[in-house]
Amino acid sequence: MTDIAKAAQRVWRSAQLYIGFHRDQQGNQRSQARVWPPKNARATINPDPTDQEAFVVVKAADKTKTEDVQIKLHPDRIVLRRDESVGWEGIMLKEHSVAVHVNGIWININADGSVAHDLDGDMTYVESDGAVLKKTEYVDAMMSGDGVELSRRTPTTIAKISEDGVLAKSR
């Protein structure tokens, strides 16, 4: 038995496919989706998830826990969702990116390796070359991937440190 197998613990016990119908047969929006488990365990992924949505509910191994996960299957992404305060609350898988929702914050990881962190409109980016950018209401700041250049721009000042020297002036 490998060390991984010895350390592994059972987290999940079952998975059930469901289809959620968000509209009635007349096309009216329902206040709560009608959920139905298909008999053949197959579901078409509807082009409009606001009409009909296919999802899998994965139940926790510990029956006293309510930390089940929903895997929502949309035509352009896969969304994993679970209740807050357990750790991550959501993961969204798109064709060229993965986004993780943790403690009310979305962290986006793009296919080129760049990462974006959004906290109430304050954005932090780590570019694929290692450069770090910070954009807030008050300042735009940048550090190059090699750490050689630093810059800061506010509505009233600009400052830059580079191989050529230091620049600081009013705008």
Side-chain angles (χ1 to χ4, degrees):
M1 182 179 286
T2 67
D3 289 338
I4 293 173
K6 288 178 189 174
Q9 65 179 5
R10 185 171 178 174
V11 178
W12 312 110
R13 68 177 152 95
S14 68
Q16 174 67 53
L17 176 64
Y18 291 99
I19 300 173
F21 296 94
H22 297 284
R23 295 192 182 273
D24 63 20
Q25 292 177 339
Q26 289 75 37
N28 299 316
Q29 189 77 31
R30 289 186 164 117
S31 60
Q32 189 169 0
R34 179 176 171 261
V35 177
W36 172 74
K39 291 182 181 169
N40 62 359
R42 294 180 58 92
T44 300
I45 298 174
N46 193 300
D48 186 357
T50 62
D51 289 339
Q52 178 183 325
E53 187 173 39
F55 62 97
V56 177
V57 175
V58 183
K59 295 285 188 182
D62 184 349
K63 293 180 182 181
T64 63
K65 305 270 183 183
T66 60
E67 295 149 3
D68 304 334
V69 172
Q70 284 187 8
I71 305 169
K72 297 181 176 201
L73 306 169
H74 293 193
D76 61 340
R77 63 184 173 253
I78 297 172
V79 179
L80 285 76
R81 190 204 65 74
R82 71 178 182 182
D83 296 332
E84 294 180 16
S85 76
V86 179
W88 61 268
E89 295 134 23
I91 300 173
M92 192 177 322
L93 309 170
K94 294 184 179 180
E95 185 176 6
H96 298 291
S97 67
V98 175
V100 180
H101 193 243
V102 181
N103 295 327
I105 302 166
W106 278 104
I107 301 167
N108 296 296
I109 305 162
N110 298 309
D112 65 357
S114 61
V115 177
H117 174 278
D118 180 3
L119 177 61
D120 299 327
D122 289 355
M123 294 294 297
T124 304
Y125 303 93
V126 179
E127 298 294 329
S128 58
D129 67 355
V132 178
L133 296 105
K134 180 73 176 179
K135 294 184 180 226
T136 71
E137 178 182 352
Y138 308 105
V139 68
D140 289 353
M142 185 277 302
M143 181 177 72
S144 64
D146 58 7
V148 173
E149 290 190 27
L150 301 167
S151 68
R152 179 181 65 101
R153 185 178 2 194
T154 67
T156 58
T157 63
I158 186 167
K160 182 175 182 178
I161 301 172
S162 69
E163 291 177 329
D164 298 329
V166 176
L167 168 71
K169 66 177 195 169
S170 298
R171 292 180 87 185

